[in-house]
Amino acid sequence: MTARLNVNIDHVATIREARKTIEPSIITAAVICEQAGANGITVHLRGDRRHIQDRDIELLRDVVTTYLNVEMAATDEMIGIALQTKPDAVSLVPESPNEITTEGGLDVIANFENVKKAVDALKAAGIFVSIFIDPVIEQISAAAGVGAQQVELCTAEYAELTLSSRATHGEGAQKAASEVSRIAQAAAHAKSLEVLVAAGHGLTYRNVGALASLPYIIEFNIGHNIISRAVFVGLNQAVREMIDAIA
Ligand code: PXP
């Protein structure tokens, strides 16, 4: 079965916020992604509101007809927004104010009670809950323990290893292959606990194929590489090319 693609459109909002203006429209971006065949739209509402704003979530909730996945930290403020706007899914992510982007997965073991409280509240409101975690067996067990319906395996390390030709030669290729196998084992462990498996972070047209051919990964969340390519070829084509890379 081919995995679904949710396009993360945060960086359309990054361009808009660079001028604090009204363009490019996040709504137009979402519609183009859907028309190009994306299975869903992902956005990250950060505490510092550096790209996506609260109003974007409200508008996207009205416009997105496929699947709206909102990434957020497990804070009272964010969970309150989710309960009010009711996206189809919430992905709980760690967040630190000075990071350039999300740095690794949520430590569910260290934050067990807080994460469980968030998961309970979201599930009670009928919102599907995914947790972004590193491909580590103990973290997956903890995610199952707090009641997550899905884990999104953090592929940042794999992405780093596949950034350049390092990945296709000698030691670099071996390291990338061993990271793929760590992700595969993590996915199998989640499956054995009846937890669904997504993956994302740093994925590209070039590196997604090795993960798309693994069993159990049913969803990819990909943003930066698609929006970057869209600058040159347009968003519709950029999304189509990623769908082809996953198929
Ligand atoms: N998944 C999660 C949980 C993320 O935080 C991000 C980045 O916002 C992505 C996927 C997408 O990562 P990228 O923009 O590198 O494709």
Side-chain angles (χ1 to χ4, degrees):
M1 196 187 71
T2 307
R4 301 192 304 258
L5 170 66
N6 296 337
V7 180
N8 181 316
I9 56 173
D10 288 349
H11 296 308
V12 175
T14 301
I15 299 172
R16 182 193 64 193
E17 293 304 310
R19 287 287 177 92
K20 300 275 177 224
T21 182
I22 56 167
E23 64 180 3
S25 160
I26 196 97
I27 299 305
T28 306
V31 170
I32 291 172
C33 290
E34 288 190 319
Q35 285 174 346
N39 303 95
I41 302 297
T42 294
V43 286
H44 183 173
L45 185 65
R46 299 187 65 100
D48 62 11
R49 306 300 196 273
R50 69 171 73 154
H51 38 54
I52 297 295
Q53 308 295 309
D54 300 44
R55 176 103 178 107
D56 293 326
I57 306 285
E58 288 164 22
L59 293 172
L60 287 168
R61 178 58 302 178
D62 286 345
V63 167
V64 169
T65 56
T66 51
Y67 185 79
L68 179 62
N69 172 36
V70 180
E71 299 171 0
M72 56 176 56
T75 61
D76 290 345
E77 181 203 12
M78 289 297 158
I79 301 306
I81 291 169
L83 297 182
Q84 224 163 21
T85 48
K86 297 251 174 83
D88 298 291
V90 161
S91 297
L92 297 173
V93 299
E95 209 171 280
S96 74
N98 296 324
E99 66 190 3
I100 293 174
T101 181
T102 312
E103 290 168 348
L106 185 58
D107 187 344
V108 186
I109 298 167
N111 298 285
F112 194 90
E113 288 310 321
N114 187 47
V115 176
K116 184 167 184 338
K117 192 176 102 186
V119 172
D120 287 346
L122 293 165
K123 282 169 70 180
I127 300 169
F128 183 84
V129 184
S130 183
I131 305 183
F132 183 60
I133 54 176
D134 291 327
V136 169
I137 298 297
E138 294 77 14
Q139 290 291 351
I140 292 161
S141 300
V146 296
Q149 289 140 306
Q150 177 172 284
V151 288
E152 179 179 346
L153 301 176
C154 175
T155 54
E157 188 131 351
Y158 169 69
E160 178 66 25
L161 290 167
T162 53
L163 252 188
S164 68
S165 59
R166 272 176 293 165
T168 50
H169 297 89
E171 200 191 335
Q174 273 169 22
K175 280 190 184 159
S178 94
E179 185 61 14
V180 171
S181 118
R182 187 166 82 113
I183 292 167
Q185 283 164 27
H189 183 61
K191 169 81 178 168
S192 75
L193 298 174
E194 296 183 6
V195 174
L196 298 175
V197 185
H201 211 285
L203 295 178
T204 69
Y205 298 95
R206 288 170 186 227
N207 71 15
V208 74
L211 299 185
S213 60
L214 295 178
Y216 312 132
I217 299 179
I218 59 160
E219 175 186 293
F220 288 103
N221 288 287
I222 307 179
H224 189 267
N225 191 235
I226 296 175
I227 303 304
S228 301
R229 182 137 179 84
V231 171
F232 302 114
V233 302
L235 187 53
N236 185 296
Q237 187 179 326
V239 171
R240 283 173 195 271
E241 287 180 21
M242 190 58 82
I243 292 170
D244 288 346
I246 290 171

